Amino acid sequence: MSASERTPIDRALANEMLAAAIAEARAGRTTGGIPIGAALFTREGTLLGRGHNRRVQDDDPSTHAETAAFKDAGRRRDYPDCIMVSTLSPCWYCCGLIRQFGIGAVIVGEARNFVGAHEWVADLGVEVIELDDPECIELLGAFIAEHPEVWHEDIGL
């Protein structure tokens, strides 16, 4: 089934899915890392995998929240029917993963603290929902204010 043939994601379901990513972002913050969380779901709302940015904790610049959730989900044959949910607009690296595996939809918690490449995958036919969630905005915004050196190290600003 092509992206244009799928039923659009219900906003209430999108907010429920975002709750799992927010819980991961909080877990990342509690363990000394950057508070960005992600989760991979089926279109019906079944949680497949979840994770948070562990760049600081693991001293590994490749462990973004989306890659952690993707790895946690394990191998799949149905990526076009999956939804990547992230508390923050996915960066180019993570959108490359979405593109590479053909993940069919992305739910973005917020794109105020950082605008990644979600518009690029939308232009490629991926369904993208921006929720502009106040909790996501505050969680990362507070971290950036407290630890600008850590934030800028990853983003390269």
Side-chain angles (χ1 to χ4, degrees):
M1 181 181 297
S2 72
S4 62
E5 297 171 320
R6 290 188 187 98
T7 303
I9 299 165
D10 177 75
R11 233 170 145 81
L13 179 58
N15 281 305
E16 288 176 26
M17 292 176 175
L18 182 61
I22 290 172
E24 284 296 321
R26 285 190 204 120
R29 182 70 176 112
T30 301
T31 58
I34 300 169
I36 303 170
L40 190 68
F41 285 89
T42 65
R43 287 189 78 83
E44 293 75 33
T46 301
L47 178 64
L48 301 171
R50 60 192 311 159
H52 53 271
N53 186 300
R54 295 193 51 83
R55 184 176 62 78
V56 173
Q57 299 94 317
D58 296 348
D59 195 30
D60 179 354
S62 69
T63 310
H64 289 202
E66 297 86 349
T67 60
F70 183 77
K71 287 178 183 180
D72 188 53
R75 293 175 60 203
R76 309 223 32 100
R77 296 184 183 268
D78 59 354
Y79 292 113
D81 292 324
C82 292
I83 301 168
M84 179 64 76
V85 182
S86 181
T87 57
L88 183 65
S89 172
C91 68
W92 283 99
Y93 169 63
C94 294
C95 280
L97 179 142
I98 291 162
R99 172 73 168 137
Q100 174 68 33
F101 290 92
I103 293 171
V106 177
I107 295 171
V108 176
E110 68 110 336
R112 290 190 190 193
N113 284 300
F114 174 75
V115 178
H118 67 273
E119 291 177 355
W120 173 64
V121 293
D123 289 344
L124 296 171
V126 175
E127 181 181 2
V128 175
I129 297 174
E130 289 184 63
L131 296 176
D132 202 31
D133 182 82
E135 185 174 2
C136 292
I137 295 165
E138 171 58 29
L139 192 60
L140 186 58
F143 178 85
I144 293 169
E146 293 169 20
H147 303 284
E149 72 291 348
V150 175
W151 175 250
H152 294 303
E153 169 190 312
D154 189 40
I155 296 303
L157 298 174

